[in-house]
Amino acid sequence: MKYFSKSKGVVKLNFPMSKLTWFQTGGKAQVLFIPENRLDLHLFLKSFKEKKLINIIGGCSNLLVRDGGVKGVIVKLGSGFDFINFESDHIICGASVKNINLSNKMAKKSIRGFEFLSTIPGTIGGSIFMNSGCFGSEIKNLIKSVIVMNKNGDLKELEKEQINFKYRSSGINKNYFIIAAKLKKNKGSKIAIKKKIKKYVNLRKKTQPNKVLTGGSTFTNPERKKAWKLIKDSGCENMIVGGAKISDKHCNFLVNTGHANSKDLENLGNKIRSKVFKETGEKLNWEIKRIGIR
Ligand SMILES: Cc1cc2nc3c(=O)[nH]c(=O)nc-3n(C[C@H](O)[C@H](O)[C@H](O)COP(=O)(O)OP(=O)(O)OC[C@H]3O[C@@H](n4cnc5c(N)ncnc54)[C@H](O)[C@@H]3O)c2cc1C
């Protein structure tokens, strides 16, 4: 606890991660630390020497925390990282801002390009780390630079060209915590922006599960192929492990039917991978990040 003595943030011991994950599963975090601001985070990172025992989370919408819990400290950025500032030629957005809040704010200010984010759960930090995208857009297209803090507590600004954005990956080093981003400010028509958001939200409701406990796409799409189609064509649709099943609406989404644990979900994912490999020779890669002890 000495690491947090100067901190204004919140520190919780043995925190059940199922309270935060979209799957509502997962064991306890030995320590959950919610730094209130940059200084809080800096002071903790400067003093805590076991860097391997520090993990960061955003909205936990693409995350499976294993049932055995997570050793060390899980950092969740607090209120001082939840800001959107409008500068003359760009926007600065804190990493804990929710995607939907950023998208709505941009619509209000008639700034285009952020419409797709209203349908992706999670935070800007998580979305940049994952290079989230849908409807033909990816967050990398909105970025000018990303402000990170390394695990020693030092700040650095990474220009977009220095970041190796790829499909569902930013390539940002695991030793960096994203704390804010400078975003593009392209003016558009407020009516057109709002119309686009409505269209995307409706499309999403039709094609993907909502109001269920899920962690989004389970596997990334292999080149020129769709993971959901490979899963369907391999005959996995009705697979069940414990309380975990495949969504009826979208084969690449796993669902906690109410009594699944993380082991059920991970085992179901691995069962799907084996079947798809056996049937098609295609190796699916996990998009969902998995942390913790089995
Ligand atoms: C119903 C549903 C639909 C979804 N649809 C889409 C979709 O259409 N497109 C898409 O791309 N994704 C989709 N997702 C997945 C998910 O919403 C995105 O990947 C999201 O942006 C993750 O953000 P998060 O804040 O929840 O990150 P988390 O799930 O908390 O974390 C994901 C990863 O990012 C890292 N991370 C989080 N914050 C930071 C930070 N500040 N600095 C460094 N690393 C960080 C974590 O360590 C972890 O490795 C969907 C998920 C759900 C549940």
Side-chain angles (χ1 to χ4, degrees), residues 22 56-63 77 99 120-123 125-127 129-130 132-134 168 174 176-178 204 214-216 253 289:
W22 272 61
I56 187 161
I57 55 166
C60 298
S61 62
N62 220 195
L63 191 72
L77 302 178
N99 292 337
I120 303 182
T123 62
S127 292
F129 184 78
M130 300 296 295
S132 297
C134 59
R168 292 304 164 267
K174 267 287 194 191
Y176 287 149
F177 292 164
I178 298 161
R204 183 60 75 128
T214 182
F253 281 60
K289 302 292 178 198

Side-chain angles (χ1 to χ4, degrees), residues 107 109-113 115 185-193:
K109 296 266 183 184
S110 306
I111 295 168
R112 66 184 156 81
E115 299 87 345
K185 193 177 167 193
N186 294 319
K187 280 279 181 186
S189 136
K190 191 183 283 189
I191 295 172
I193 292 168

Side-chain angles (χ1 to χ4, degrees), residues 21-44:
T21 59
W22 272 61
F23 277 125
Q24 290 187 11
T25 65
K28 290 177 180 168
Q30 197 175 0
V31 181
L32 175 72
F33 174 45
I34 308 178
E36 194 178 289
N37 51 35
R38 285 185 192 191
L39 180 63
D40 255 7
L41 182 61
H42 166 83
L43 290 174
F44 160 67

Side-chain angles (χ1 to χ4, degrees), residues 132-149:
S132 297
C134 59
F135 302 116
S137 301
E138 283 179 327
I139 200 159
K140 72 167 190 200
N141 303 329
L142 306 170
I143 304 261
K144 283 190 157 197
S145 67
V146 175
I147 297 144
V148 293
M149 193 179 276

